[in-house]
Amino acid sequence: MIDPVVTPFDGFDIQLLGSEEQWSKLLEPNPPPFYQDFYPAMVHHGFRIEGDMEMIYAFLPAIRRLGDLFRTVAATEMAA
Amino acid sequence: MSARLADIVGRYVYLEVEGIEYRVYFEEAGEGIPVVLQHTAGCDGRQWRHVLEDPDFTSKYRMIAIDLPFHGRSLPPVSQEWWKAEYKLRQDFLLNFYEALVTTLELENAVYAGVSLGGHLAPDLALHRPGLFQAAFGFGAALATKGVDRFPQWFHHPRVSNDSKPAMMYTGCAPQSPEANKRETAYMYSQGAPPVLKGDVSYYFNEHDLTETARSIDTSKTALHIVGSEYDWPSPPAGSEALAAEVEGATFTYMAGVGHFSMSKTRRSSRSTSFRSSTRRSVDE
């Protein structure tokens, strides 16, 4: 389940957490270096992938693809 | 209709390394100065297939892409009960492997080129086997890779499938890279034996460390060329530039719009020619 509104009272297995600036770079059609995915953004830019590490690594293909989908939606919204 | 055959020949060579015989697979194409090509950790020599079909290289060089033992078609040695020990790639093994390869194939004035793990190995060969190669190219080479001790456990984990490593490797590619090349890189990673990537990075993360010794590399024996790529997040170009700055006589080349798997980005039809031009220029010199 993807919860768009997270409060301190909600638990989570996986959380992708970044500033507006980080998200906006991640969602550019050609992101700047190390914003090409959540993972390098975490390693080099302070973006956070938090939660159950085993689940994060097990679902890494889905998390990676989420970035593709978000970028597609962002590009569509910008074009509209 | 005649068959369209690639000008690549695949063969096995038997190499004795540290008293053990290995049956090593390699593919080669072209004629001229031998250029030995080392794949990245957890992958195999197929990564070089576009380079091996690039006449810019094969018209002047004998390009030789090897599969390290335990990778690709180079199966584990039949004389060893390898399944009783944890797989770990050691620096000494790599150095001895390349000495055996050059000697056995009688390669003269050979050039070495490697990416990522193979990139780190370029300065290690120059330091520990001076003169074995006339030149060594390290793509994504750095002084060391530190601070990632908790990371490799996820490369071989019973509840993490062999799909996760390919997904992570996909993220090492530049966004501008052709989608087919990125998918090909990830596909090759999906075919590695499960423990191998974790075992390979034992050398990459732990043993490879030139912070105290890089200055001892003698580039008059083996010329050293370091290349950094803009989107290479596992080995950022700043780290490659720092290595080159430590070694007197070493060169540094920056490739814009290229990621970690620089050799896989070089389809002739692709817009990027930076891998070709940077490599050709340095070899020609």
Side-chain angles (χ1 to χ4, degrees), chain B residues 229-273:
Chain B
S229 300
E230 184 180 16
Y231 282 88
D232 185 352
W233 71 262
S235 188
S240 297
E241 191 169 13
L243 165 62
E246 283 282 301
V247 182
E248 191 180 344
T251 68
F252 173 72
T253 304
Y254 175 77
M255 297 197 294
V258 177
H260 188 65
F261 303 96
S262 40
M263 78 286 252
S264 304
K265 170 85 192 302
T266 56
R267 257 194 335 197
R268 273 182 79 74
S269 58
S270 80
R271 287 182 186 173
S272 171
T273 57

Side-chain angles (χ1 to χ4, degrees), chain A residues 31 36 39 44 54 57 64, chain B residues 151 159 164 170-171 231 233:
Chain A
Q36 66 259 39
Y39 207 91
H44 291 289
E54 185 180 300
Y57 279 94
R64 190 206 68 71
Chain B
F151 182 58
R159 286 191 290 270
S164 288
Y170 181 102
T171 75
Y231 282 88
W233 71 262

Side-chain angles (χ1 to χ4, degrees), chain B:
Chain B
M1 192 178 80
S2 60
R4 180 173 173 257
L5 297 173
D7 291 325
I8 299 175
V9 175
R11 298 197 71 174
Y12 292 95
V13 59
Y14 289 91
L15 293 185
E16 187 170 318
V17 184
E18 300 175 342
I20 296 169
E21 186 181 74
Y22 294 88
R23 179 176 173 262
V24 173
Y25 182 73
F26 66 100
E27 294 181 342
E28 67 170 283
E31 291 179 4
I33 297 168
V35 182
V36 183
L37 306 165
Q38 173 61 56
H39 54 76
T40 62
C43 204
D44 59 68
R46 289 175 300 172
Q47 288 178 307
W48 295 96
R49 79 178 188 95
H50 300 293
V51 173
L52 263 57
E53 291 199 77
D54 186 338
D56 280 359
F57 288 112
T58 56
S59 61
K60 291 185 71 174
Y61 308 106
R62 179 186 174 194
M63 310 295 284
I64 303 168
I66 60 102
D67 289 353
L68 282 178
F70 294 86
H71 302 70
R73 297 175 76 92
S74 296
L75 290 167
V78 290
S79 66
Q80 302 299 303
E81 293 181 324
W82 51 268
W83 56 91
K84 292 186 176 177
E86 183 181 3
Y87 170 76
K88 270 191 182 178
L89 185 61
R90 294 177 295 103
Q91 178 170 296
D92 276 350
F93 176 83
L94 286 164
L95 298 171
N96 293 330
F97 173 87
Y98 270 102
E99 197 166 2
L101 184 78
V102 169
T103 306
T104 307
L105 291 182
E106 299 178 350
L107 304 178
E108 290 184 10
N109 298 316
V111 171
Y112 168 90
V115 176
S116 182
L117 172 150
H120 277 10
L121 186 58
D124 283 333
L125 282 164
L127 176 65
H128 298 290
R129 296 292 185 275
L132 181 64
F133 293 98
Q134 62 158 309
F137 288 79
F139 292 82
L143 286 164
T145 306
K146 297 296 179 192
V148 284
D149 297 347
R150 297 182 185 182
F151 182 58
Q153 62 176 311
W154 303 107
F155 281 162
H156 187 210
H157 188 284
R159 286 191 290 270
V160 175
S161 84
N162 234 27
D163 270 344
S164 288
K165 285 176 280 194
M168 179 167 289
M169 298 309 152
Y170 181 102
T171 75
C173 301
Q176 300 91 337
S177 295
E179 187 65 19
N181 291 43
K182 292 195 271 189
R183 296 285 174 173
E184 188 173 275
T185 293
Y187 189 84
M188 286 185 279
Y189 265 92
S190 73
Q191 295 180 313
V196 169
L197 178 59
K198 182 185 174 196
D200 282 354
V201 298
S202 175
Y203 158 71
Y204 187 91
F205 289 155
N206 302 321
E207 273 196 284
H208 172 80
D209 189 347
L210 292 167
T211 48
E212 302 294 328
T213 52
R215 288 171 186 272
S216 306
I217 293 173
D218 182 351
T219 54
S220 72
K221 302 274 177 54
T222 297
L224 186 62
H225 303 288
I226 306 300
V227 184
S229 300
E230 184 180 16
Y231 282 88
D232 185 352
W233 71 262
S235 188
S240 297
E241 191 169 13
L243 165 62
E246 283 282 301
V247 182
E248 191 180 344
T251 68
F252 173 72
T253 304
Y254 175 77
M255 297 197 294
V258 177
H260 188 65
F261 303 96
S262 40
M263 78 286 252
S264 304
K265 170 85 192 302
T266 56
R267 257 194 335 197
R268 273 182 79 74
S269 58
S270 80
R271 287 182 186 173
S272 171
T273 57
S274 45
F275 180 90
R276 274 203 299 278
S277 58
S278 64
T279 310
R280 279 286 307 276
R281 188 179 66 242
S282 301
V283 174
D284 288 345
E285 284 165 1

